[in-house]
C-alpha cells in the first residue's frame, strides 16, 4: 500500500524528517507516536502532498511513486488525511462540501456523480453509524463547531469518501472519552483486509480502542523503535525520554 | 502544461460574432443621428424633442472623472449610435420568423428561446444589439394587464405612462452618461405592473453587444403601481472584441404605495484579455424611487465582466416606511477594474436600507466599493445597515472601500461593517485534500464568501451565477 524509503523533508531550510522508512501493507493499521516536534504532522502533510516542503527519498503508493502528484490527485487515488486542525470555510454548507468532495473523487475514477437524494441517504446512514447529529451537516463547514464536532466531522468524511489509506493526524487530541469512542468506532468499522491506516497520536489512550498492528516511535525525524501494541503501553509508563 | 490549460480555459466562453448584416446610423454624434434614430423608431415628436433637449444639454457638460478606474479618452464622434439586425425591419410575429442566425447565437449563449417559453416560465424580451427581436409570454401577461415590451413600442402605444415616468428618476440633466443615454438610447425594456397585481413570472431580458464599434445605450423603465410586485432579471454576455466598447445604460424603477420591485443583474460582458486589452466599459446609471409609502426596491447584482464597471444602483426612499436594498458581488480578475456601490437616499420617515457588498479581486485587478448613505433631516427613525467585505487573491490586486455616510437627524441609526481578507492557503489545501482541484476549491470558497448575495437571486439565476463566480476566477490561484 505505502512504502516510504529514506524520506527526508525540510521546510524553510530546517530539516524535519531525516531518513524515515516505513512500509504499510493493505489491511494494516500503524500507529505513530512521538514527542512534540518529532515530525509526526510533517509526515502526514508530506504524504498528503502539501506544498512548501523540500523532499528527498521515495514514497510509493500502490506501487507508484507519489513524486509530483498533486494533493487532489492523491486524494482522488484514495489517500485521506484527517486534519489535526480542520479548517473553517464560512458560507459553505457542510453537506454541500461533502457532496462536492465525494463527486470529485467519483468523477476522477470515472464513476457517475451521486445525485443529492442518494448522497443525503448515504450521509444520513454514515452519520447515524457514528452517532453524529445530522444538524451539524446543514451548518457552515466547521464554523462554530466544537473541537469534538470538528474531529467527528473528519471521521464522517473518511467514512463517506471511503479511502484506501487513511492518515489520522492527532485526531484524538483534545477529545472527551465519548468523542474518542466515536472516532475509534469510525476507524474500527472501516477496517478490512484492503484498507490501511496510519494513526498519529500523542497518547496511548486512543490505542485502547483502536488496536494497531504496529506501533512506531518517531523521534527527531526518524523511526527509532517499532513494536506491536504493547509498545504503546510501555511508552505510557516510561515516556519517550528513555528511548533516546 | 497545466498552466497553459488554465490559460485556455480562461478564454472568454462567449467570444464569437454573428454574421448578420447591420443597418447603421452614420458614425458620430450630432442632431441628424438623433433624428435618424428617432425616425427609424417611428417616434412621436415629443420624444424627439426630449432627445434633442438632452443632446443640447450634453454640449455643456463634461464627463465625470472622480472615479478610481481611469480610461483612455473616448472619441464620441467615432462611434456608431445605431445598428440593428437587418431582419428586424420586418418584425417577426413569432419565434419561427426570427432570423435563424440570431437563434443560433442565443443557443451558443445557452438561451434556447423556443425552449424557454415552455420550460422556465420566464418571459423574455430579447435584445440583440439594439432592437428587440422576440417577445414571449405576452398573452399571459396581457391577461393581468401587465405591460412588458420594448421601450420603443411603449413610446408609441403607452405615451402617457412613458411621458409621466421617463426621466423622473434619472433626469436628463443628471450627469454626462445619463444625458448621453437620454439623447441616443436605442431600445430597452418597459414594464408596467397595474395596481394590486403580482407579476406571475420573473421578467427577463438578455442583452448582447454585437456590432463592431457600436456603443450600446439601453433604456429601461419599470413602474410598479400601488400594491404590485415584480421581479426583473437582466443578464448579459458580449462577443470578443479588441476595441473597447461603451455601454451606458439607464435603468429607472418606480415603486408606488406598497409596491415592490426586485431587480437582479448578472453582468458578464467581455472583460478584455489577460493583458487588459479590449473589454467593455460598463458605465451604467441605475436608480429606483420608492415613491409610495411602504414601498420596496431591491437591487441584486453579480458583476463579473467588463474591463471597467462603474455603477451605483441606488434607491431614493421618498415614501414613509419604504425599504431599499442593495446586494452586490463584484469580481475583478486580470486587469479588470470596478468602482461600484450604491446610494441610499433616505427622505421619508422610518425608511430602512440594507447594503451587502462582496468584492473579490484577483490578478492585477482593482475593486472599489463606493457608497453613500444619506439620511435627511425629516427622515426620522431611519435605519441603515452596511456590510462591505473584500476578498483578495494574490498580491497584485487591490480592494478599496469608500463609504460616505451622512446622518442629519438624531433618531436614525447607521451601521457600517467592513472586512478585508485574503483567500486562505490552508483552506485551499483542505479542499484539495478532499479531492477538489484548485478551481473547484476557489469556486467553493468564493461562493461561500458571496453566499448572502447569491441567496437573493431568483433560483434560475442563482445556479448560473454560482458557475459564473467560479469561471470568472479560473486560473487566478496557484
Amino acid at each position: 500500500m505505502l512504502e516510504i524509503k529514506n524520506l527526508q523533508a525540510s521546510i524553510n531550510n530546517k530539516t524535519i524528517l531525516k531518513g524515515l522508512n516505513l512500509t504499510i501493507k493493505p489491511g494494516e493499521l500503524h500507529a505513530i507516536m512521538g514527542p512534540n516536534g518529532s515530525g509526526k504532522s510533517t509526515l502526514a502533510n508530506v504524504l498528503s502532498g502539501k506544498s512548501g516542503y523540500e523532499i528527498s527519498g521515495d514514497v510509493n503508493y500502490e506501487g507508484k511513486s507519489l513524486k509530483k502528484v498533486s494533493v487532489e490527485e492523491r486524494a482522488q487515488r484514495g489517500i485521506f488525511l484527517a486534519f489535526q486542525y480542520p479548517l473553517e470555510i464560512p458560507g459553505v454548507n457542510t453537506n454541500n462540501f461533502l457532496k462536492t468532495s465525494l463527486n470529485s473523487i467519483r468523477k476522477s475514477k470515472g464513476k457517475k456523480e451521486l445525485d443529492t437524494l442518494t448522497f443525503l441517504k448515504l450521509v444520513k446512514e454514515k452519520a447515524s453509524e457514528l452517532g453524529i447529529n445530522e444538524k451539524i451537516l446543514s451548518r457552515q463547514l466547521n464554523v462554530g463547531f466544537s473541537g469534538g464536532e470538528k474531529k467527528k466531522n473528519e471521521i464522517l468524511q473518511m467514512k463517506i469518501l471511503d479511502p484506501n489509506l487513511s492518515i489520522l493526524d492527532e485526531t484524538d487530541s483534545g477529545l472527551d472519552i465519548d468523542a474518542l469512542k466515536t472516532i475509534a468506532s469510525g476507524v474500527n468499522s472501516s477496517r478490512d483486509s484492503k484498507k490501511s491506516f496510519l494513526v498519529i497520536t500523542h497518547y496511548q489512550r486512543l490505542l485502547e480502542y483502536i488496536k494497531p498492528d504496529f506501533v512506531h516511535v518517531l523521534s527527531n525525524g526518524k523511526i527509532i523503535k517499532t513494536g506491536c501494541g504493547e509498545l504503546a503501553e510501555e511508552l505510557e509508563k516510561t515516556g519517550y525520554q528513555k528511548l533516546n | 502544461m497545466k498552466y497553459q490549460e488554465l490559460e485556455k480555459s480562461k478564454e472568454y466562453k462567449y467570444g464569437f460574432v454573428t454574421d448578420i448584416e447591420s443597418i447603421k446610423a452614420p458614425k458620430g454624434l450630432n442632431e441628424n443621428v438623433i433624428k435618424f434614430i428617432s425616425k427609424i423608431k417611428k417616434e412621436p415628436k415629443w420624444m424627439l424633442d426630449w432627445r434633442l433637449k438632452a443632446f443640447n444639454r450634453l454640449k455643456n457638460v463634461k464627463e465625470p472623472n472622480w472615479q478610481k478606474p481611469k480610461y483612455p479618452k473616448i472619441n464620441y464622434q467615432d462611434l456608431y449610435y445605431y445598428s440593428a439586425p437587418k431582419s428586424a425591419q420586418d418584425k417577426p410575429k413569432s419565434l419561427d420568423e426570427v432570423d435563424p442566425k440570431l437563434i443560433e447565437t442565443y443557443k451558443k449563449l445557452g438561451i434556447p428561446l423556443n425552449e424557454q417559453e415552455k420550460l422556465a416560465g420566464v418571459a423574455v424580451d430579447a435584445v440583440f444589439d439594439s432592437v428587440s427581436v422576440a417577445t414571449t409570454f405576452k398573452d399571459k401577461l396581457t391577461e393581468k394587464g401587465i405591460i412588458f415590451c420594448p421601450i420603443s413600442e411603449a413610446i408609441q402605444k403607452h405615451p402617457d405612462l412613458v411621458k409621466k415616468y421617463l426621466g423622473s428618476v434619472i433626469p436628463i440633466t443628471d450627469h454626462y452618461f445619463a444625458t448621453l443615454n437620454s439623447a441616443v438610447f436605442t431600445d430597452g425594456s418597459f414594464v408596467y405592473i397595474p395596481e394590486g397585481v403580482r407579476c406571475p413570472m420573473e421578467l427577463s431580458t438578455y442583452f448582447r453587444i454585437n456590432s463592431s464599434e457600436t456603443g450600446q445605450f439601453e433604456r429601461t423603465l419599470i413602474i410598479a403601481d400601488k400594491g404590485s410586485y415584480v421581479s426583473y432579471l437582466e443578464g448579459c454576455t458580449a462577443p470578443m472584441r479588441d476595441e473597447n466598447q461603451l455601454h451606458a445604460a439607464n435603468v429607472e424603477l418606480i415603486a408606488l404605495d406598497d409596491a415592490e420591485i426586485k431587480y437582479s443583474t448578472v453582468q458578464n460582458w467581455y472583460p478584455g484579455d489577460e493583458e487588459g486589452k479590449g473589454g467593455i466599459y460598463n458605465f451604467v446609471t441605475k436608480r429606483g424611487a420608492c415613491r409610495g409609502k411602504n414601498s420596496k426596491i431591491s437591487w441584486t447584482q453579480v458583476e463579473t465582466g467588463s474591463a471597467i464597471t462603474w455603477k451605483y444602483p441606488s434607491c431614493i426612499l421618498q415614501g414613509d416606511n419604504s425599504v431599499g436594498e442593495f446586494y452586490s458581488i463584484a469580481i475583478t480578475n486580470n486587469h479588470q477594474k470596478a468602482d461600484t456601490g450604491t446610494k441610499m437616499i433616505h427622505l421619508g420617515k422610518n425608511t430602512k436600507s440594507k447594503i451587502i457588498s462582496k468584492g473579490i479581486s484577483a490578478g492585477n485587478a482593482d475593486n472599489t466599493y463606493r457608497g453613500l448613505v444619506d439620511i435627511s433631516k425629516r427622515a426620522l427613525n431611519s435605519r441603515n445597515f452596511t456590510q462591505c467585505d473584500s476578498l483578495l487573491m494574490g498580491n497584485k490586486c487591490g480592494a478599496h472601500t469608500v463609504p460616505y455616510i451622512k446622518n442629519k437627524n438624531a433618531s436614525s441609526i447607521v451601521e457600517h461593517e467592513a472586512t478585508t481578507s485574503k483567500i486562505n492557503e490552508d483552506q485551499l489545501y483542505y479542499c484539495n485534500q478532499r479531492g477538489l482541484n484548485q478551481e473547484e476549491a476557489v469556486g467553493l470558497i468564493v461562493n461561500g464568501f458571496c453566499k448572502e448575495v447569491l441567496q437573493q437571486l431568483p433560483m434560475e439565476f442563482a445556479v448560473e451565477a454560482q458557475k459564473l463566480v467560479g469561471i470568472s476566477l479560473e486560473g487566478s490561484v496557484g
Side-chain angles (χ1 to χ4, degrees):
Chain A
M1 175 72 64
L2 185 75
E3 206 180 355
I4 305 172
K5 277 188 218 151
N6 193 26
L7 177 65
Q8 305 201 26
S10 48
I11 188 162
N12 301 328
N13 293 321
K14 197 177 170 234
T15 309
I16 313 278
L17 298 181
K18 300 168 181 169
L20 187 140
N21 295 294
L22 179 66
T23 301
I24 300 179
K25 292 192 178 129
E28 289 180 352
L29 190 147
H30 292 235
I32 293 212
M33 302 181 72
N36 291 326
S38 57
K40 299 190 299 293
S41 286
T42 300
L43 176 62
N45 290 341
V46 167
L47 290 177
S48 75
K50 192 180 184 184
S51 62
Y53 293 96
E54 291 245 5
I55 290 164
S56 68
D58 292 318
V59 180
N60 292 323
Y61 169 72
E62 291 179 333
K64 285 181 197 150
S65 169
L66 283 180
K67 229 174 232 174
K68 289 181 185 163
V69 179
S70 67
V71 179
E72 63 264 30
E73 200 184 325
R74 291 177 197 217
Q76 288 161 0
R77 286 203 211 157
I79 297 179
F80 178 89
L81 171 62
F83 280 59
Q84 188 177 359
Y85 305 107
L87 274 292
E88 298 182 1
I89 305 184
V92 175
N93 176 288
T94 304
N95 262 328
N96 184 30
F97 177 78
L98 275 173
K99 182 170 165 238
T100 312
S101 168
L102 178 62
N103 279 335
S104 290
I105 289 172
R106 289 180 68 94
K107 219 163 49 188
S108 74
K109 289 180 176 155
K111 284 191 197 164
K112 223 180 117 212
E113 293 184 34
L114 287 191
D115 60 72
T116 305
L117 277 177
T118 319
F119 170 78
L120 287 177
K121 215 178 130 205
L122 175 74
V123 171
K124 203 171 175 175
E125 184 193 310
K126 300 290 178 192
S128 79
E129 265 177 46
L130 289 171
I132 290 175
N133 189 342
E134 267 180 76
K135 273 184 193 158
I136 70 165
L137 299 172
S138 49
R139 281 162 40 189
Q140 300 175 36
L141 183 62
N142 289 328
V143 175
F145 282 31
S146 71
E149 282 170 336
K150 282 184 186 176
K151 297 293 179 76
K152 282 186 191 171
N153 190 24
E154 294 290 288
I155 296 305
L156 176 66
Q157 292 181 44
M158 183 185 84
K159 294 289 285 186
I160 287 167
L161 300 179
D162 197 26
N164 296 331
L165 174 65
S166 302
I167 304 161
L168 277 64
D169 187 7
E170 297 200 24
T171 303
D172 56 331
S173 54
L175 292 189
D176 61 36
I177 194 75
D178 292 335
L180 195 71
K181 281 181 180 165
T182 303
I183 303 291
S185 82
V187 172
N188 289 332
S189 62
S190 302
R191 287 178 79 169
D192 64 26
S193 62
K194 286 179 193 142
K195 294 193 167 30
S196 308
F197 293 83
L198 182 62
V199 178
I200 295 171
T201 178
H202 254 308
Y203 310 105
Q204 187 257 340
R205 201 172 56 142
L206 179 66
L207 304 181
E208 285 174 17
Y209 303 97
I210 298 174
K211 291 293 167 206
D213 298 303
F214 298 94
V215 176
H216 310 276
V217 179
L218 186 66
S219 176
N220 198 22
K222 275 184 183 172
I223 288 176
I224 55 164
K225 195 168 173 136
T226 294
C228 47
E230 284 81 51
L231 177 60
E233 287 165 36
E234 191 184 312
L235 283 170
E236 193 76 4
K237 288 183 201 130
T238 57
Y240 295 113
Q241 210 61 37
K242 280 222 169 128
L243 290 169
N244 288 332
Chain B
M1 181 62 190
K2 199 174 176 202
Y3 179 73
Q4 278 172 340
E5 276 167 23
L6 283 178
E7 287 302 301
K8 233 181 176 175
S9 69
K10 264 195 299 181
E11 276 171 28
Y12 191 69
K13 200 173 138 199
Y14 301 132
F16 51 84
V17 178
T18 310
D19 180 26
I20 288 177
E21 274 184 82
S22 292
I23 296 178
K24 280 177 179 160
K27 245 184 195 178
L29 181 58
N30 53 51
E31 252 187 63
N32 286 334
V33 165
I34 292 164
K35 282 178 182 163
F36 175 89
I37 295 170
S38 190
K39 195 177 166 196
I40 214 160
K41 295 275 173 197
K42 301 193 181 80
E43 285 178 356
K45 192 173 175 297
W46 61 265
M47 195 64 239
L48 176 62
D49 291 345
W50 197 82
R51 286 176 182 275
L52 291 173
K53 205 171 138 193
F55 177 65
N56 284 325
R57 165 87 191 176
L58 192 70
K59 292 173 187 164
N60 302 316
V61 288
K62 286 204 171 80
E63 281 173 63
N65 67 352
W66 44 262
Q67 82 288 4
K68 195 151 188 311
K70 302 299 176 198
Y71 54 93
K73 207 169 157 38
I74 298 168
N75 183 355
Y76 293 94
Q77 296 304 335
D78 199 36
L79 296 175
Y80 291 103
Y81 288 86
Y82 183 81
S83 97
K86 201 175 186 181
S87 55
Q89 267 189 337
D90 321 298
K91 277 218 164 182
K93 315 266 170 322
S94 76
L95 287 174
D96 304 337
E97 294 174 31
V98 171
D99 188 329
K101 274 192 183 165
L102 288 186
I103 301 293
E104 192 59 33
T105 304
Y106 288 128
K107 276 185 185 155
K108 281 189 206 168
L109 284 168
I111 324 161
L113 266 183
N114 42 1
E115 281 173 38
Q116 250 175 13
E117 203 166 3
K118 281 178 262 161
L119 294 173
V122 173
V124 174
D125 174 20
V127 176
F128 183 89
D129 254 30
S130 316
V131 170
S132 300
V133 289
T135 302
T136 52
F137 274 100
K138 226 165 190 172
D139 299 344
K140 211 169 167 186
L141 295 172
T142 313
E143 239 170 65
K144 297 234 170 199
I146 293 167
I147 306 168
F148 177 41
C149 65
I151 199 160
S152 50
E153 190 183 318
I155 289 164
Q156 291 168 22
K157 291 190 182 162
H158 311 283
D160 294 344
L161 281 172
V162 177
K163 264 192 214 173
K164 188 172 175 189
Y165 290 108
L166 188 74
S168 73
V169 189
I170 306 172
I172 56 173
T173 53
D174 202 75
H175 66 91
Y176 187 86
F177 295 106
T179 307
L180 177 66
N181 176 287
S182 301
V184 301
F185 74 86
T186 43
D187 222 329
S189 294
F190 176 84
V191 178
Y192 173 77
I193 314 289
E195 196 171 329
V197 170
R198 198 180 162 86
C199 186
M201 62 189 78
E202 313 269 357
L203 300 182
S204 167
T205 302
Y206 289 86
F207 295 103
R208 185 171 165 81
I209 294 178
N210 192 278
S211 264
S212 168
E213 288 178 71
T214 305
Q216 182 122 356
F217 302 93
E218 306 285 349
R219 185 97 198 185
T220 291
L221 178 60
I222 299 176
I223 303 143
D225 212 326
K226 289 177 186 168
S228 68
Y229 169 84
V230 63
S231 170
Y232 185 89
L233 323 179
E234 167 203 33
C236 34
T237 53
M240 187 161 318
R241 283 276 165 216
D242 265 347
E243 324 88 81
N244 287 300
Q245 290 183 308
L246 176 65
H247 179 78
N250 280 9
V251 175
E252 293 177 282
L253 313 182
I254 295 121
L256 302 181
D257 289 357
D258 305 298
E260 182 177 346
I261 302 174
K262 189 172 163 58
Y263 192 105
S264 312
T265 305
V266 172
Q267 186 266 116
N268 184 24
W269 304 97
Y270 178 54
D273 65 15
E274 284 88 22
E275 273 79 49
K277 194 170 183 288
I280 304 292
Y281 292 167
N282 189 31
F283 302 166
V284 171
T285 309
K286 286 182 170 168
R287 200 174 298 160
C290 284
R291 216 156 266 177
K293 59 178 170 37
N294 310 318
S295 57
K296 181 176 174 184
I297 288 178
S298 180
W299 298 99
T300 305
Q301 61 172 25
V302 178
E303 303 283 327
T304 66
S306 296
I308 301 175
T309 296
W310 188 13
K311 59 182 284 201
Y312 312 94
S314 303
C315 297
I316 302 167
L317 305 171
Q318 287 167 276
D320 288 349
N321 315 315
S322 60
V323 177
E325 289 176 341
F326 175 73
Y327 299 94
S328 170
I329 298 169
I331 299 178
T332 50
N333 197 356
N334 297 318
H335 289 266
Q336 281 178 280
K337 292 177 171 59
D339 193 325
T340 185
T342 184
K343 290 188 275 186
M344 293 291 175
I345 316 287
H346 293 252
L347 300 174
K349 291 188 192 80
N350 309 314
T351 47
K352 286 197 191 91
S353 64
K354 186 173 173 188
I355 300 169
I356 308 285
S357 164
K358 306 277 179 179
I360 298 141
S361 219
N364 292 290
D366 208 47
N367 206 320
T368 302
Y369 167 81
R370 194 186 298 274
L372 170 69
V373 176
D374 189 339
I375 300 183
S376 76
K377 233 176 192 171
R378 57 191 179 86
L380 298 171
N381 301 312
S382 291
R383 286 216 54 157
N384 161 264
F385 174 77
T386 301
Q387 188 184 327
C388 293
D389 297 324
S390 303
L391 187 67
L392 294 166
M393 301 170 75
N395 49 18
K396 287 182 193 146
C397 53
H400 316 270
T401 302
V402 191
Y404 301 86
I405 300 167
K406 296 179 191 166
N407 188 354
K408 294 163 194 154
N409 72 62
S411 60
S412 296
I413 302 168
V414 177
E415 278 177 82
H416 182 96
E417 288 178 13
T419 65
T420 303
S421 51
K422 264 189 94 166
I423 197 153
N424 186 320
E425 291 290 324
D426 285 338
Q427 285 175 334
L428 288 173
Y429 168 53
Y430 188 67
C431 294
N432 292 154
Q433 213 298 310
R434 296 299 182 256
L436 309 189
N437 65 31
Q438 206 74 336
E439 258 84 57
E440 289 172 318
V442 169
L444 193 83
I445 293 168
V446 173
N447 270 304
F449 174 76
C450 300
K451 195 181 176 193
E452 286 163 279
V453 177
L454 290 169
Q455 279 173 338
Q456 297 299 323
L457 289 171
M459 264 311 282
E460 50 269 69
F461 246 27
V463 177
E464 188 186 318
Q466 268 181 34
K467 281 186 197 152
L468 197 57
V469 164
I471 291 170
S472 308
L473 289 165
E474 270 178 13
S476 54
V477 171

